[in-house]
Amino acid sequence: MTEIYINGNLYKVSLPEDTPLLWVIREHIGLTGTKFGCGKGICGACTVLLEEEPIRSCITPLKAVKGKRITTIEGIPANHPVKRAWVELNVPQCGYCQPGQIVEAYALLKKNPRASREEIVRTMSSHLCRCGTYPRILRAILRAQSMMGVKT
Ligand code: FES
Ligand code: FES
């Protein structure tokens, strides 16, 4: 039995310790906001937070998160500036990559609310968006910074 905290709730899961965290989150806990893309740690669709750090849940085994705090897209409040800016600017196209993008942006601004444009672009470039929403993603993060009262 492995205990993990997801979005503030304690879950006890009885699964092999090498089960990818993404499978635990989607198939066993039923939080389907986190997406499966490449399964190889490349695309970023499966990004969640381990404590404060964005991780790729498709390549993270259950044993690595035992007793730790995980935050998924569902755990970010709807009124957080990042989510509000995403809605205001209609960022998603097909939407598939967007939960991972939002989790990454949320983590970035939590760590560094004053992140420069260059830092934002560098951080977000680790996520693939086949619809090419990168310009809107950048604008949304800049908008979120301004909602947070950050002058960039
Ligand atoms: S599905 Fe995990 S990085 Fe692509
Ligand atoms: S919005 Fe379609 S892959 Fe990013």
Side-chain angles (χ1 to χ4, degrees):
M1 190 74 80
T2 306
E3 295 192 345
I4 46 172
Y5 293 88
I6 301 184
N7 303 332
N9 299 313
L10 173 63
Y11 293 92
K12 296 179 182 186
V13 287
S14 193
L15 291 166
E17 289 206 317
D18 58 355
T19 306
L21 176 60
L22 177 59
W23 264 245
V24 179
I25 291 170
R26 286 183 56 87
E27 304 297 326
H28 298 278
I29 292 172
L31 293 172
T32 54
T34 307
K35 303 302 182 205
F36 171 72
C38 64
K40 295 183 185 323
I42 298 167
C43 73
C46 66
T47 300
V48 297
L49 298 184
L50 170 55
E51 305 295 342
E52 305 294 323
E53 284 302 316
I55 58 161
R56 307 264 152 128
S57 62
C58 68
I59 53 166
T60 303
L62 180 57
K63 64 179 170 229
V65 300
K66 206 186 280 189
K68 302 267 176 62
R69 221 163 26 95
I70 302 294
T71 305
T72 69
I73 183 68
E74 292 91 346
I76 300 175
N79 65 354
H80 187 278
V82 167
K83 278 193 174 174
R84 281 167 41 216
W86 240 256
V87 171
E88 282 183 19
L89 295 177
N90 284 322
V91 175
Q93 189 163 315
C94 81
Y96 202 81
C97 71
Q98 300 292 324
Q101 307 267 17
I102 291 171
V103 170
E104 187 79 50
Y106 171 80
L108 172 63
L109 295 190
K110 198 155 187 209
K111 197 180 292 177
N112 182 9
R114 296 180 181 280
S116 66
R117 177 181 284 255
E118 292 68 32
E119 192 176 350
I120 294 168
V121 170
R122 193 170 54 248
T123 301
M124 300 312 295
S125 68
S126 66
H127 286 252
L128 298 179
C129 175
R130 63 191 171 179
C131 302
T133 62
Y134 301 109
R136 290 204 295 277
I137 287 171
L138 173 59
R139 284 203 298 278
I141 296 173
L142 295 172
R143 171 82 60 98
Q145 284 180 313
S146 115
M147 287 176 184
M148 293 161 78
V150 174
K151 289 202 171 43
T152 53

